[in-house]
Amino acid sequence: SAVISQKPSRDICQRGTSLTIQCQVDSQVTMMFWYRQQPGQSLTLIATANQGSEATYESGFVIDKFPISRPNLTFSTLTVSNMSPEDSSIYLCSVDRGADTEAFFGQGTRLTVV
Amino acid sequence: GQQLNQSPQSMFIQEGEDVSMNCTSSSIFNTWLWYKQEPGEGPVLLIALYKAGELTSNGRLTAQFGITRKDSFLNISASIPSDVGIYFCAGQLGYGGSQGNLIFGKGTKLSVKP
């Protein structure tokens, strides 16, 4: 398994502001993924962060709201832009080993928007 | 869209009891994964299943890939207080490392009374 570090672990933000979440992996991975977990809910994939190309977004998520960077094979950021209370969630970074489908997760960023 | 039905939604059990939870779908999956999430943490992979009928154990945990490929169950034997958490199933529709095909259940919240 990979060691995945996310920062910050939690934050309380004012509505209308933006927060950038960082994800660092201890080994090179081809793809990194960002999930949202709303309170009491399951995990929903936001986008796949590709190194060297634009992120691929799932239905219902757009680049203007959730811009993603992937500058190298061990790091990615997710920005939650122009936040509203509805954005209060846990945001999770994930990687897999390529051939397998086993997703490994960071510890998550708990975001509260007030 | 594709859906996984995970049940029960929550369980309150006495320490030492056995636990069983399951996921079903109308779709055929090629991989089943079971995760545990503790408060403030990301999901941790418990068991991965790749073949219909496969039965795999990890300590006191046992999971099976249903023969129809549309369901999976997770059993925990002789529960202990540290088993507390939310257990998620996840199924993958295709093959390969794309998490875009990974569907998560809504989770089973387990509480264990000492």
Side-chain angles (χ1 to χ4, degrees):
Chain A
S1 66
V3 176
I4 305 165
S5 303
Q6 263 184 257
K7 287 197 294 191
S9 58
R10 57 176 62 228
D11 208 341
I12 301 173
C13 299
Q14 296 290 325
R15 68 176 68 204
T17 63
S18 298
L19 176 72
T20 296
I21 303 167
Q22 298 180 3
C23 180
Q24 179 76 51
V25 190
D26 68 342
S27 58
Q28 293 186 344
V29 292
T30 306
M31 290 188 286
M32 297 174 74
F33 307 88
W34 288 98
Y35 285 82
R36 181 176 71 184
Q37 186 178 23
Q38 292 176 301
Q41 300 296 314
S42 188
L43 286 73
T44 302
L45 182 64
I46 297 171
T48 302
N50 306 305
Q51 198 269 331
S53 63
E54 276 198 5
T56 307
Y57 288 83
E58 298 299 308
S59 175
F61 298 97
V62 295
I63 188 171
D64 289 346
K65 177 67 177 176
F66 296 103
I68 286 171
S69 80
R70 181 80 198 273
N72 57 53
L73 291 174
T74 62
F75 186 79
S76 177
T77 67
L78 169 78
T79 299
V80 186
S81 303
N82 189 24
M83 289 183 283
S84 67
E86 292 71 35
D87 294 320
S88 298
S89 291
I90 299 172
Y91 291 86
L92 293 152
C93 170
S94 170
V95 305
D96 60 35
R97 297 185 295 194
D100 300 328
T101 57
E102 300 166 14
F104 298 97
F105 291 88
Q107 81 275 23
T109 296
R110 183 179 292 273
L111 170 63
T112 303
V113 184
V114 297
Chain B
Q2 306 292 343
Q3 282 197 347
L4 283 185
N5 301 309
Q6 186 171 350
S7 66
Q9 190 174 352
S10 62
M11 303 182 76
F12 297 86
I13 62 167
Q14 197 76 33
E15 182 177 1
E17 288 183 357
D18 296 343
V19 171
S20 186
M21 60 193 78
N22 69 84
C23 278
T24 62
S25 175
S26 57
S27 302
I28 291 175
F29 288 97
N30 294 313
T31 303
W32 283 98
L33 306 172
W34 284 93
Y35 290 88
K36 178 187 178 187
Q37 185 177 29
E38 297 184 22
E41 300 293 328
V44 173
L45 182 66
L46 299 173
I47 293 180
L49 302 160
Y50 297 104
K51 257 171 62 171
E54 180 182 354
L55 184 73
T56 297
S57 293
N58 178 6
R60 293 178 296 107
L61 279 60
T62 302
Q64 184 156 32
F65 193 141
I67 203 77
T68 64
R69 294 165 62 192
K70 295 182 180 181
D71 63 324
S72 177
F73 72 74
L74 175 71
N75 287 344
I76 305 173
S77 62
S79 59
I80 58 178
S82 62
D83 290 333
V84 163
I86 303 176
Y87 291 79
F88 290 99
C89 65
Q92 199 197 34
L93 296 167
Y95 291 103
S98 171
Q99 291 185 26
N101 292 328
L102 202 56
I103 312 294
F104 283 85
K106 291 190 185 297
T108 295
K109 186 173 181 180
L110 178 63
S111 302
V112 179
K113 202 171 171 185

